[in-house]
């Protein structure tokens, strides 16, 4: 009994907001919001993993073996075309989860999920997720809500990529990324930015130069620092504000 109690305390220490000595402090907002009884059921099934930049978590057509609660870093969800070209349709950071088809009972991936900024995650096997959702109603509800958030995000990003100028889209993407990784210093290359925005690298270079000359960002090889967040938000297209406004409405609905 004493051993079981000690084990429970150890699990609780992982989920607490206090810094952990093993670097495995939980930042994922879904895990942090779970009631204690659901945490105790879920935590033993989670595996802490480190995600290197460019690591593909799953690709189009893959049978989903695992789901991920993103803890730190950034994961991009990409729509991939037959010729190999891809464009980002969603971003997932510490607020989210990768593996949403599993929540709906689907086992095949329709998109590619790739770690764009290295970080960590808590991995859960597909079979374990299916079982745990039957026991954890709050977790199921939160994952269903997150699926709606990702659908809204994909719709808005698609419209944004079609209608807005590259510098507006770049400003929007930098704001969204900073929100998810929790810092204004972002490890990003122009090649990556071009892929995420679905445009040419030369266009990203020009757009980044415009934002840098305006004093909104500082760009060096492989790194972007947001210097003036408020002005960058002003430059960003209305898509960022629309998505934030909808998120606030949905948060209010769920309270």
């Amino acid at each position: 009994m004493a051993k079981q109690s000690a084990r429970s305390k150890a699990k609780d220490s992982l989920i607490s907001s206090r810094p952990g000595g093993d670097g495995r402090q939980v930042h994922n907002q879904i895990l942090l919001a779970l009631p204690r009884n659901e945490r105790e059921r879920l935590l033993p099934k989670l595996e802490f993993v480190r995600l290197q930049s460019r690591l593909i978590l799953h690709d189009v057509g893959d049978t989903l073996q695992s789901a991920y609660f993103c803890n730190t870093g950034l994961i991009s969800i990409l729509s991939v075309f037959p010729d190999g070209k891809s464009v980002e349709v969603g971003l997932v950071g510490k607020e989210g989860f990768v593996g949403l088809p599993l929540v709906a009972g689907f086992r095949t991936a329709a998109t590619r999920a790739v770690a764009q900024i290295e970080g960590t995650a808590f991995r859960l096997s597909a079979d374990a997720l299916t079982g745990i959702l039957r026991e954890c109603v709050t977790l199921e509800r939160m994952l269903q809500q997150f699926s709606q958030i990702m659908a809204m995000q994909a719709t808005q990003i698609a419209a944004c990529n079609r209608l807005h100028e590259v510098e507006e889209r770049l400003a929007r993407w930098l704001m969204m990324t900073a929100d998810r990784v929790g810092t204004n210093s972002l490890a990003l290359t122009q090649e990556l930015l071009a892929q995420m925005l679905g445009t040419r690298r030369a266009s990203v270079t020009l757009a980044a130069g415009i934002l840098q000359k305006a004093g909104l960002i500082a760009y060096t090889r492989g790194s972007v620092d947001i210097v003036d967040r408020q002005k960058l938000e002003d430059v960003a297209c209305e898509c960022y504000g629309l998505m934030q406004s909808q998120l606030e409405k949905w948060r209010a609905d769920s309270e």
Side-chain angles (χ1 to χ4, degrees):
M1 198 65 157
K3 288 183 179 178
Q4 184 61 42
S5 176
R7 235 181 258 121
S8 297
K9 288 180 180 177
K11 291 167 192 168
D12 282 343
S13 71
L14 284 179
I15 206 73
S16 74
S17 60
R18 297 189 299 274
D22 59 2
R24 300 187 183 190
Q25 179 183 347
V26 173
H27 301 284
N28 182 271
Q29 293 172 4
I30 295 173
L31 295 179
L32 289 171
L34 290 176
R36 183 185 181 91
N37 66 317
E38 294 194 14
R39 287 207 319 257
E40 290 177 347
R41 291 179 181 179
L42 179 60
L43 284 177
K45 302 179 185 299
L46 297 178
E47 177 189 4
F48 181 81
V49 294
R50 299 187 184 279
L51 307 178
Q52 295 182 347
S53 178
R54 304 297 181 89
L55 175 68
I56 295 176
L57 305 183
H58 65 68
D59 215 335
V60 178
D62 284 354
T63 298
L64 295 169
Q65 303 293 337
S66 303
Y68 298 82
F69 293 90
C70 185
N71 198 49
T72 60
L74 182 74
I75 298 169
S76 289
I77 308 301
L78 306 176
S79 180
V80 183
F81 294 89
D83 63 1
K85 292 180 180 178
S86 61
V87 63
E88 187 178 67
V89 293
L91 297 86
V92 180
K94 63 183 183 299
E95 84 293 348
F97 173 87
V98 174
L100 287 171
L102 294 169
V103 180
F106 301 131
R107 295 298 291 257
T108 305
T111 56
R112 175 184 296 160
V114 57
Q116 295 295 8
I117 297 178
E118 67 178 35
T120 62
F122 289 93
R123 183 165 59 193
L124 179 66
S125 75
D127 290 338
L129 176 65
T130 301
I132 204 75
L133 289 179
R134 299 190 189 103
E135 305 170 4
C136 299
V137 294
T138 302
L139 175 63
E140 182 180 29
R141 174 175 52 80
M142 292 179 72
L143 294 182
Q144 289 173 346
Q145 289 175 340
F146 188 67
S147 72
Q148 291 301 305
I149 291 171
M150 291 301 290
M152 178 269 291
Q153 188 183 120
T155 301
Q156 195 68 49
I157 288 175
C160 182
N161 288 341
R162 173 66 179 83
L163 297 174
H164 295 136
E165 298 297 329
V166 177
E167 60 265 28
E168 295 178 308
R169 289 157 51 199
L170 176 58
R172 183 265 301 163
W173 193 89
L174 292 173
M175 294 291 294
M176 291 180 69
T177 299
D179 289 345
R180 284 156 180 78
V181 300
T183 177
N184 287 328
S185 296
L186 310 171
L188 302 167
T189 64
Q190 288 187 357
E191 180 182 0
L192 169 62
L193 290 170
Q195 182 185 20
M196 295 304 97
L197 296 174
T199 191
R200 296 180 299 115
R201 182 173 175 175
S203 298
V204 171
T205 301
L206 179 61
I210 291 172
L211 297 181
Q212 183 160 253
K213 286 179 182 177
L216 309 185
I217 66 171
Y219 179 78
T220 56
R221 186 176 179 84
S223 177
V224 177
D225 291 320
I226 297 176
V227 177
D228 192 324
R229 185 182 171 93
Q230 183 57 57
K231 288 184 179 178
L232 186 66
E233 186 172 351
D234 292 340
V235 169
C237 56
E238 62 263 40
C239 293
Y240 178 78
L242 289 171
M243 285 187 281
Q244 291 298 105
S245 176
Q246 185 61 59
L247 284 173
E248 289 173 7
K249 290 177 183 176
W250 278 345
R251 288 191 189 108
D253 288 344
S254 63
E255 289 178 356

